[in-house]
Amino acid sequence: MALDQNLKRKLTKDLSISLLIYSLPVLAIYLYFKISNGDVTESHLVLPSFLEFVKPAFQNIRTWGLIVFMLVLGAIEFAAGLYDDQWTGTERKIDIICFLAPKLLLPPVIAFFSLTALPYLIPSLENTLSWVPFWGGFFLIAIADDLTQYWYHRLHHQVPFLWRFHRTHHSAPYMGMAMASRQNFIYTVFFSQIYLTATLAYLGLGLPALFVTVIKSFITLGAHSSIAWDKPFYKYKVLHPIAWVLERLISTPATHHAHHADTSGDGVGYFKGNFGNMFFIWDVIFGTGLITRKFPKSYGTKSYKSEEWYAQFLWPIFKSKKEGSPLADGVLALPISPKKETTSVNQNIYEPVQS
């Protein structure tokens, strides 16, 4: 399915605006040194004094703290019954595999990219940005990393071919820590922004990258959680001004849950937008956001719920055995269990691709 002309024009316009946004932190750093007559008085390698005491905490959070946070928050969600008995055997398999696989797949890939590929491709550029102040490196990476992921995510919804590699993330009939990492392995391995951030770290911005990664992880995990931590901001009038800023700046449960709804016809679900990961402001800038302060009644893509774990995680290497499934056009069908009666899937049921 080809992209229509209106969508092409909008993509071209929004990409042009993105180039300007990418340049803003670079311009800010340039003006800073222009005003200070080029006097490099600090480096990003030295944290501002008020942040120095939290550096060990961020390092520990990055290595093992986020995993513990996900497990604890997931346990709270289960204890509170927020999954409504929807975590069936099939759902458990895909969630657990997608949680564990990146921990095994990505470290060697990123290590090879950072320690072998980059020194080979750009050997003379290592630490060339080490002179950039911490604040400059922080905003440079925050914008570059998250805006790049916004586009990676958005294009996987708007380009039909790319949607095939992202639909696994929208197959869960629930929201929560259990499905936060639920992605097809190709979508995960080619996650565009992780290579960009690794490159900026190689160029000398490793410390700002650490802080951005940890902060972003908490925001994105919080947006996927079934614990609606943002509801008090909508409930109490005194907090409404904070809510107005918060929901336009970062992704919240309300805005991101809408993105995972199983319908867009109720005025709440919005799979055609709300693509932001850490920052929701990209959706505000590009007109792809919908803020309702309401939560969908149900989640997931209707056309392939309860698909086999291997078809969702390893498509197109392995295909679904269900007749009419969007995942049935892979290469192999893995005989992982005795063949069951096939389930017919109506191909006309919604597929959340914007065209």
Side-chain angles (χ1 to χ4, degrees):
M1 182 188 302
L3 297 177
D4 65 43
Q5 291 301 314
N6 289 333
L7 179 56
K8 285 183 179 179
R9 281 194 291 269
K10 176 150 180 66
L11 287 174
T12 301
K13 175 185 175 183
D14 290 352
L15 284 168
S16 300
I17 296 173
S18 295
L19 292 177
L20 174 62
I21 296 173
Y22 278 122
S23 70
L24 292 179
V26 178
L27 179 61
I29 294 170
Y30 171 78
L31 292 176
Y32 170 78
F33 284 104
K34 195 72 174 175
I35 294 172
S36 61
N37 296 317
D39 183 21
V40 181
T41 58
E42 59 175 315
S43 165
H44 87 279
L45 296 174
V46 179
L47 276 172
S49 57
F50 68 93
L51 287 177
E52 190 65 44
F53 77 99
V54 300
K55 179 181 177 181
F58 273 69
Q59 290 172 328
N60 289 328
I61 290 171
R62 180 69 182 89
T63 53
W64 55 267
L66 286 173
I67 295 177
V68 172
F69 175 75
M70 289 182 69
L71 293 175
V72 170
L73 190 54
I76 294 173
E77 290 175 337
F78 279 111
L82 297 178
Y83 285 85
D84 296 324
D85 300 322
Q86 296 185 91
W87 213 44
T88 62
T90 300
E91 304 298 343
R92 280 198 301 272
K93 287 179 183 177
I94 184 62
D95 285 340
I96 292 172
I97 289 168
C98 288
F99 175 77
L100 294 177
K103 313 297 184 291
L104 301 174
L105 284 175
L106 289 181
V109 172
I110 298 302
F112 174 81
F113 180 75
S114 300
L115 302 177
T116 303
L118 288 175
Y120 175 78
L121 295 172
I122 47 175
S124 61
L125 298 182
E126 185 174 7
N127 288 325
T128 53
L129 296 181
S130 60
W131 51 270
V132 175
F134 175 82
W135 66 264
F138 181 91
F139 285 109
L140 176 62
I141 292 180
I143 290 176
D145 177 289
D146 201 60
L147 182 54
T148 300
Q149 188 174 0
Y150 165 86
W151 275 108
Y152 187 75
H153 186 191
R154 175 175 166 179
L155 290 175
H156 274 76
H157 275 265
Q158 296 183 334
V159 179
F161 172 76
L162 294 178
W163 163 249
R164 303 165 124 200
F165 302 101
H166 181 55
R167 53 191 172 186
T168 297
H169 189 57
H170 287 264
S171 64
Y174 46 80
M175 293 294 290
M177 288 301 98
M179 57 72 63
S181 303
R182 185 171 177 144
Q183 294 283 9
N184 177 278
F185 82 103
I186 291 179
Y187 186 91
T188 298
V189 169
F190 288 96
F191 232 36
S192 55
Q193 74 284 354
I194 60 177
Y195 299 100
L196 174 61
T197 301
T199 301
L200 291 173
Y202 172 80
L203 295 177
L205 301 179
L207 192 54
L210 167 68
F211 277 72
V212 171
T213 300
V214 170
I215 293 171
K216 178 175 180 175
S217 296
F218 278 118
I219 292 174
T220 54
L221 290 174
H224 281 89
S225 176
S226 59
I227 298 175
W229 57 263
D230 53 339
K231 278 189 175 181
F233 291 94
Y234 313 140
K235 181 178 180 180
Y236 301 106
K237 191 172 182 179
V238 67
L239 297 178
H240 285 182
I242 299 176
W244 191 93
V245 174
L246 195 68
E247 64 194 358
R248 284 163 177 78
L249 179 62
I250 66 171
S251 290
T252 61
T255 56
H256 198 67
H257 281 221
H259 177 69
H260 281 264
D262 68 353
T263 181
S264 61
D266 59 357
V268 177
Y270 196 57
F271 62 82
K272 292 185 177 181
N274 291 17
F275 302 122
N277 294 274
M278 175 167 63
F279 294 128
F280 189 79
I281 196 170
W282 310 134
D283 287 290
V284 175
I285 292 173
F286 299 117
T288 56
L290 176 67
I291 299 174
T292 66
R293 299 185 176 181
K294 298 177 181 179
F295 287 78
K297 294 180 179 179
S298 53
Y299 302 95
T301 306
K302 293 178 180 178
S303 56
Y304 56 95
K305 289 180 180 179
S306 300
E307 290 280 5
E308 302 96 332
W309 70 265
Y310 54 85
Q312 294 206 57
F313 180 61
L314 294 171
W315 187 92
I317 298 175
F318 295 107
K319 63 182 179 180
S320 171
K321 292 182 291 186
K322 295 187 176 183
E323 182 182 353
S325 166
L327 299 176
D329 59 346
V331 179
L332 300 171
L334 187 66
I336 198 166
S337 60
K339 186 173 181 181
K340 299 178 181 179
E341 183 179 352
T342 58
T343 302
S344 179
V345 179
N346 186 350
Q347 289 280 45
N348 294 321
I349 292 179
Y350 127 87
E351 276 277 329
V353 181
Q354 182 177 340
S355 58

